[in-house]
Amino acid sequence: MINLGDFIEELFASRSRIRVLRALLEIKEINVTRLSKLVEMNHRSMGQHIAALKELGIVEEKQFGKIKIVRIRDEDPRVKVIKSMFDELNQLIENGD
């Protein structure tokens, strides 16, 4: 099992990974190609970030032929905490705090 420090470091390892994470928190489930376009990232980089999020256990990936679907694991308590953190930070920023 990964320790908290390593989990946080891997989760927030790059701005790109954070963009992928935020998009998944909002959309929940999406085709990998669409996600790549949404966050303006090439397919190879997207694959690396999805692999890292899968390794952390907060994302699942399904494949239907050539189509890959990625889904955030909403049922994971860590995902709930991450979503709450983003929501609270967003509120603070919107309120000018």
Side-chain angles (χ1 to χ4, degrees):
M1 181 115 205
I2 190 168
N3 69 48
L4 179 61
D6 290 343
F7 179 84
I8 291 171
E9 286 179 28
E10 189 65 27
L11 184 65
F12 298 115
S14 74
R15 288 180 179 206
S16 296
R17 183 159 309 148
I18 293 167
R19 287 194 343 251
V20 171
L21 179 60
R22 289 182 64 208
L24 286 171
L25 286 168
E26 186 176 319
I27 296 168
K28 309 293 185 221
E29 184 174 284
I30 189 170
N31 173 304
V32 172
T33 301
R34 282 191 179 151
L35 181 58
S36 294
K37 289 178 184 176
L38 179 68
V39 298
E40 299 176 350
M41 185 180 301
N42 69 53
H43 211 37
R44 182 179 178 159
S45 294
M46 177 60 67
Q48 292 171 342
H49 291 299
I50 289 172
L53 295 172
K54 281 173 47 180
E55 180 82 20
L56 292 174
I58 62 172
V59 165
E60 294 176 333
E61 189 177 47
K62 298 181 262 183
Q63 188 155 350
F64 302 97
K66 292 183 178 182
I67 298 171
K68 289 185 181 180
I69 305 292
V70 64
R71 178 184 87 81
I72 192 86
R73 294 186 65 233
D74 277 338
E75 67 278 4
D76 189 313
R78 297 170 301 171
V79 171
K80 292 176 184 180
V81 170
I82 294 163
K83 181 168 179 12
S84 176
M85 181 195 71
F86 278 121
D87 290 344
E88 288 184 36
L89 285 171
N90 194 42
Q91 276 187 332
L92 289 171
I93 291 167
E94 286 178 356
N95 293 334
D97 293 341

